[in-house]
Structure formats: C-alpha cells, structure tokens
Amino acid sequence: MAEHIYPVILALFMSYLLCALAYKDSEYTVQRANEYIEENKYSVDKTYRPHYHLKAPIGWINDPNGFIQYQGEYHLFYQYNPYSTTANKIHWGHAKSKDLYHWEDLPVAMAPDHDYDSDGVFSGTTIEKDGKLYAMYTGNSPNGQVQCIAVSEDGITFDKIAENPVLKASDLPSNAQPQDFRDPKVFKKDDIYYVATVSKTINNTGQVLLYQSSDLIQWQFKSILLEGTEEQGIMWECPDLFELDGKDVLIISSIQMPAVGDDYRNTDTVLAFIGEIDWTSGEFHVESVKEIDHGLDFYASQSLLDDKGRRISVSWMNMWGRSYPTADLNQGWVGAMTLPREFHIENGYLVQKPISEIAVAYVYAAILHNVTLTDKTTVISGVAGETGQLEVIVDLSAANSFTIEIRAAKNEKTVLRYDVLTQELSLDRSQTGVNITGSENPPLFARQVKVPLGDNNLLSLQIFVDKSSVEVFANGGVETLTTTIYPTEELAQGIQFVAEGEAIIQNLTYCHIDLTI
Ligand SMILES: *[C@@H]1O[C@H](CO)[C@@H](O)[C@H](O)[C@H]1NC(C)=O
Ligand SMILES: *[C@@H]1O[C@H](CO)[C@@H](O)[C@H](O)[C@H]1NC(C)=O
Ligand SMILES: *[C@@H]1O[C@H](CO)[C@@H](O)[C@H](O)[C@H]1NC(C)=O
Ligand SMILES: *[C@@H]1O[C@H](CO)[C@@H](O)[C@H](O)[C@H]1NC(C)=O
C-alpha cells in the first residue's frame, strides 16, 4: 500500500505547491505575462478575429486605457488578462499605431504585482510630463480601490512610484462609499493637473470627483463635478472629460441604468453630458445628456486630443454580463476595441465620425448611383464580404422601409432596417448565428434608435463590418449602433437590400479594407 500512497501524497503535495506558486500574487509579473503571450499567441482561433480593429494577441480585454499620442504615435493600453478569457487578474495590455487602424502589439505595460493592485491594475489614463509618460490607474486589491501612478521613460516599460497610492479612501468626500473609487482621467488645464475619478455615493448613485495637483503625486480634493440621479445608474465608471467645439463634455459609463424607450437597453450605458464647467466651484452645468451608441456592444469610452486637434475616442466593443462566444468556443480570446471615432458637437449633441485615415485602406469594389429598389431582395455585384465598408445615401420619399442584410447566407443574416413611419433604425442579430445571452430583459437581440430623415427624405448610412462586428454611423454620425455578431455559416458574406415601397439609392460605395496598402 505504502509505496502506492506515498507517490500519490507526494504528487498532491507537489501540485498544491505548484498551485500555491501559480496563484501567489507576485507571480503576476510583466515578464511572465510577456513570455506567456509569446509562447501561446499562435494558438488563438482566427475565425472571428477582427481584421482592422484593435484586439489583444491572446486572452481577455475590456476597457481602453491610457489613450494618448506620444512621440508621434498613438498608444492605446487596455484592461487585459492574457492567461484566460475571463476578466481576472487584470494587467495593462499595450498597442501602438501611426494611423489608428494598423496596430502593433507592444509588451504588457503593467501587471498586478504590488499589494495595492494585487487584484488588478484597473482602468486609467496617461499624460506626458517632462517627456515621460505618466499612467494614473486604479489599484484594485482586497483592501479596496486606490489611485496610483506609474512612470515610463520610453512609453513601453513602467515603474510604479514609491509614493503609491496617491489617492485613497480617506481622500473621498463624505457622501462616498469607499469600496468603489476608480478610473482616474488625468489632464492639465492652465498649468494645473486635474484628475476626474468616479465613486459611488451613499445613495447608490454615480458621481464624478475632481482633484488637483501641481506634480501629479500630491493631490487635493477640489469638488464633486457631477452627481448622478437615481435614474442614471447605481455607479459610474470611466469618466472622460474634455473641451470640444466650445463646450465641456463629460462622458461616463453607467452601471445598470434603467431602460427608457429605446435608450439604456444594455446592462450598462455610455452617456455624454454636454455643458459648461464652472472652474471656480468645480461644478458641471449640464445642458444635454444622451446615450452615445445604441448598439448592443459599446462601453468604457476614452479619448485623446491629437496633434491635428482632433478629439478621437475608442470604446470597448463588448458589454458586461453577456455570454462571449469566442470564450465558449475555446478560441482563446475575447474582446476588441471600436474603430476610433472623431467627436464633434452639432446642434448641441455629440456626433461621431470614423477616423478619416481608414479611407486610405479602401479598395473600391462597387460604386453605383440611382439604384431603384422595389419590394424584392436585391443583390448588387461586388457588394459582399466579411470585412468592409458600405456607404449608402438613399431617398426614402416613396418607401415604407429600407433594409440592408449583412453577413447574409442561406439561414443567417444581420438585419439593419429603417422604418420610415417611426423613423427608427434597428440593428438585429437574432438571425446572425451564435446567440449571445445576457442579463438584460428582452429585447436582447436588437437595438433601435430614432434617426430623423435628412433633407429630401434622405438617409445616409456608413457601415463597417469586421468579421465579428458591425458599426453603423447614421446621417453623418448623429447616431451610431455598434454590435458584435458571430455568423456560423460558411461564406456568410452576402449583403442584400430590401425595400417596402420604392427606395432609390442615390449613392452606394462598397470597399474592402486592405491593410497592406
Ligand atoms: C440622498 O438622496 C436624498 C433623497 O433623494 C437626498 O436628499 C440627499 O441629499 C442625498 N444624499 C447625498 C449625500 O447625496
Ligand atoms: C441620379 O438621378 C438624379 C435624378 O434623376 C439625377 O439628377 C442625377 O444626375 C443622377 N445621378 C447620377 C450620378 O447618375
Ligand atoms: C437565437 O435566438 C432566436 C430568438 O430567440 C431564435 O429564433 C434562434 O433560433 C436562436 N438561434 C440559435 C442558433 O440558437
Ligand atoms: C454622390 O455621388 C455623386 C457622384 O459621384 C457625388 O458627386 C456626390 O458628392 C455624392 N454625394 C454624397 C453625399 O456623397
């Protein structure tokens, strides 16, 4: 007996030892993450991998972080677990780009390797000071959430400073609950550094707090910039704060905002507050509030100002509380970022345009004018694909509805439909392929938004398709809908047009996106 038992005990002991080592927090180092990625990145399944959207080499990603133009290149960091397809032991992943659509993976920037961030290097932002890149982020640990600084001389390797944490629970105002305090957005205004962070109030609502500093290390509480109402969710995340077209804009991601009509239908919602900040009192005077994307998969927006003066924003192209098909199918990765979008304010509201650089990669496959659609399904030669850009301007004066079926095959399609009577544009993935389940009440498969027709009853749509995503910009970006899709049929590449009544497509272009250009 004994000679059988001892090896078993020894094996159990050894495996316990290995587990204990593997799960010891200090084992999560930048070096280990980078080695793991190098060894395993070729194992990810490419079936649904985006072509021109930013994704991680392997594993799980969520919020974009630290988006900045540094030494002439765009850098985007992101919430990252290289080791699995779940949001656990979060690191900061890192990629850079010259044009916002060719992305080069860089080494992982930060790992959860200190006591104050042992459960995750959570979201934050970066700022350049004296030529160095300063990252301000949330350290998540069993002791709570604190704000920390890490500094990089080259934009690649970061050192967490000895003074960390630089903001902790004792820096919160008296109306805050200490356990939710995160997502610093750092910026400079009139030679003062500010950080906007979020916390949960004792009333279980979100709020944005403002702190100020002269050196990015010593911070003083300035004000409660804005406190959410009960109707605006139980907690806010990922504040973004900037000036745009003569206004102040505060973007937040709200947790569990109750649905109203077509709005706030997902578990979590991104809102833009437009108004003016009183910098003396540190209060935000709100003039308008609006959900900024009405699709199923859009969260945690973060922006930068580039050297061309453009305000460019990226969001996580997924949603919390859902099933993630690439995880369920063991494909080794989950998550991608939206196409970067240029923000502007028109008529008091935010509009979003795809970054203009992407047009360089267009290979025109079809350009047509004055195509009349009647009550039958129309297929247009050259218009098909699983990664491309479709733009249409359609006259709906004599139509009841206009539909574009994307990724269409024998039994599958993703349906973008405009109803002329209700003026609603809907994006429906119920017939797309793999069904995604989530914590929301129905309708989970479709989202819609009101888009008034333009002059002469024209509707313009620009649609980006990329393997497992669809992003729709309607009427010049007044509304957008972003949704992930997982077609299963071989050659689900068809694009078909359907009208009820008569719709005249004045202009149509379809392009493939070729990254080798
Ligand atoms: C909590 O909500 C109550 C009632 O809505 C309000 O009177 C009070 O000011 C709120 N407290 C804080 C700290 O915001
Ligand atoms: C499309 O039709 C309109 C109205 O008939 C006409 O004015 C226009 O020139 C046509 N466009 C092209 C490019 O053929
Ligand atoms: C997905 O859900 C829709 C709506 O409930 C249903 O009609 C369809 O059969 C489901 N598809 C799959 C592949 O399960
Ligand atoms: C539609 O196409 C015509 C002909 O190519 C072009 O002159 C016009 O600018 C286009 N309209 C829009 C709104 O792009």
Side-chain angles (χ1 to χ4, degrees):
M1 270 318 262
E3 60 268 37
H4 294 280
I5 286 172
Y6 284 132
V8 170
I9 290 173
L10 190 66
L12 281 173
F13 177 70
M14 288 302 288
S15 70
Y16 165 78
L17 201 68
L18 284 173
C19 281
L21 283 173
Y23 290 102
K24 202 166 150 270
D25 291 333
S26 60
E27 285 296 297
Y28 289 93
T29 62
V30 164
Q31 188 191 344
R32 183 181 156 207
N34 289 324
E35 285 169 6
Y36 179 86
I37 294 163
E38 277 314 305
E39 279 165 26
N40 295 283
K41 65 182 180 184
Y42 299 104
S43 69
V44 303
D45 187 311
K46 296 202 160 57
T47 307
Y48 295 115
R49 294 279 279 172
H51 180 51
Y52 56 92
H53 286 77
L54 173 59
K55 69 271 182 192
I58 185 172
W60 164 276
I61 77 176
N62 56 284
D63 309 354
N65 292 151
F67 194 25
I68 195 168
Q69 198 179 26
Y70 179 66
Q71 296 177 350
E73 293 178 303
Y74 297 98
H75 287 254
L76 186 61
F77 302 82
Y78 48 82
Q79 294 285 281
Y80 188 29
N81 177 9
Y83 301 106
S84 86
T85 50
T86 57
N88 189 26
K89 292 291 173 190
I90 291 293
H91 298 55
W92 268 35
H94 188 190
K96 69 172 185 177
S97 176
K98 291 186 167 65
D99 55 20
L100 296 161
Y101 66 93
H102 287 94
W103 289 100
E104 180 190 334
D105 291 323
L106 291 173
V108 162
M110 290 190 276
D113 55 6
H114 281 63
D115 287 345
Y116 51 74
D117 61 18
S118 60
D119 267 352
V121 183
F122 276 12
S123 284
T125 49
T126 57
I127 192 168
E128 187 175 339
K129 177 176 180 273
D130 307 327
K132 297 177 193 169
L133 198 56
Y134 283 67
M136 191 165 186
Y137 71 93
T138 299
N140 190 56
S141 79
N143 298 326
Q145 298 188 330
V146 292
Q147 319 317 317
C148 306
I149 295 272
V151 185
S152 176
E153 306 259 347
D154 60 1
I156 311 265
T157 54
F158 284 80
D159 291 318
K160 295 172 186 172
I161 64 170
E163 292 89 337
N164 280 338
V166 296
L167 279 173
K168 45 191 186 297
S170 56
D171 297 304
L172 283 165
S174 60
N175 77 339
Q177 299 192 48
Q179 78 281 7
D180 287 288
F181 179 29
R182 54 184 178 266
D183 304 345
K185 163 76 183 188
V186 65
F187 58 98
K188 193 177 185 183
K189 182 181 166 61
D190 304 331
D191 283 331
I192 299 173
Y193 292 104
Y194 291 92
V195 67
T197 65
V198 287
S199 85
K200 185 182 258 188
T201 70
I202 49 180
N203 280 354
N204 288 324
T205 60
Q207 66 180 349
V208 178
L209 309 174
L210 210 54
Y211 294 81
Q212 68 180 52
S213 172
S214 58
D215 60 3
L216 293 171
I217 293 165
Q218 301 286 328
W219 292 93
Q220 293 87 43
F221 175 75
K222 178 168 173 67
S223 60
I224 297 173
L225 183 74
L226 187 66
E227 199 176 324
T229 65
E230 259 175 48
E231 294 75 36
Q232 289 170 340
I234 60 165
M235 169 67 190
W236 289 353
E237 299 189 295
C238 303
D240 193 7
L241 186 64
F242 50 86
E243 290 173 27
L244 182 68
D245 299 334
K247 288 284 170 194
D248 292 311
V249 179
L250 170 66
I251 291 184
I252 58 95
S253 292
S254 165
I255 298 179
Q256 291 176 30
M257 186 159 172
V260 179
D262 290 343
D263 298 332
Y264 331 129
R265 289 260 148 207
N266 298 325
T267 307
D268 307 319
T269 297
V270 183
L271 291 179
F273 295 88
I274 298 178
E276 292 202 2
I277 297 174
D278 176 340
W279 285 99
T280 310
S281 65
E283 286 168 10
F284 195 104
H285 299 295
V286 178
E287 291 163 12
S288 76
V289 193
K290 193 168 176 295
E291 182 174 19
I292 70 171
D293 187 287
H294 278 75
L296 283 149
D297 295 287
F298 186 90
Y299 199 64
S301 309
Q302 193 179 98
S303 71
L304 59 70
L305 183 68
D306 79 354
D307 56 8
K308 300 186 183 82
R310 300 181 300 173
R311 178 59 55 180
I312 296 170
S313 176
V314 166
S315 303
W316 181 40
M317 197 158 52
N318 292 93
M319 179 53 56
W320 290 113
R322 298 268 176 76
S323 59
Y324 301 100
T326 51
D328 298 341
L329 297 167
N330 292 318
Q331 297 192 344
W333 69 282
V334 168
M337 297 301 162
T338 62
L339 192 66
R341 302 168 181 193
E342 185 176 340
F343 280 176
H344 280 288
I345 295 175
E346 286 175 16
N347 302 316
Y349 291 97
L350 198 72
V351 295
Q352 305 177 55
K353 320 254 182 207
I355 39 126
S356 55
E357 286 90 335
I358 186 87
V360 174
Y362 289 170
V363 177
Y364 286 86
I367 302 176
L368 290 102
H369 296 286
N370 292 345
V371 181
T372 300
L373 305 173
T374 49
D375 300 80
K376 66 172 178 15
T377 301
T378 303
V379 174
I380 296 171
S381 169
V383 183
E386 54 177 15
T387 64
Q389 187 256 177
L390 173 68
E391 198 167 351
V392 296
I393 298 167
V394 58
D395 177 349
L396 298 177
S397 303
N400 296 323
S401 73
F402 171 68
T403 300
I404 306 177
E405 297 172 351
I406 303 154
R407 304 300 301 277
K410 193 157 169 278
N411 301 306
E412 293 179 359
K413 57 190 171 189
T414 300
V415 180
L416 178 66
R417 181 176 189 275
Y418 187 79
D419 185 304
V420 177
L421 191 65
T422 63
Q423 305 221 318
E424 276 180 316
L425 180 67
S426 66
L427 184 59
D428 182 335
R429 69 176 174 200
S430 62
Q431 304 168 74
T432 288
V434 181
N435 274 342
I436 295 172
T437 55
S439 47
E440 300 93 340
N441 275 324
L444 175 62
F445 295 116
R447 291 287 180 260
Q448 55 191 14
V449 63
K450 198 165 270 256
V451 181
L453 290 181
D455 292 344
N456 305 317
N457 295 314
L458 293 179
L459 173 70
S460 99
L461 297 171
Q462 188 176 16
I463 304 159
F464 288 87
V465 178
D466 192 5
K467 302 286 278 286
S468 50
S469 67
V470 181
E471 290 170 275
V472 180
F473 297 79
N475 284 355
V478 252
E479 298 293 351
T480 63
L481 293 135
T482 301
T483 290
T484 58
I485 54 168
Y486 299 88
T488 59
E489 276 185 89
E490 199 80 33
L491 300 174
Q493 300 192 8
I495 298 177
Q496 323 184 130
F497 300 85
V498 191
E500 287 174 276
E502 185 185 85
I504 302 166
I505 301 179
Q506 291 190 346
N507 287 19
L508 178 151
T509 59
Y510 183 74
C511 310
H512 300 294
I513 291 175
D514 185 347
L515 295 189
T516 65
I517 298 175

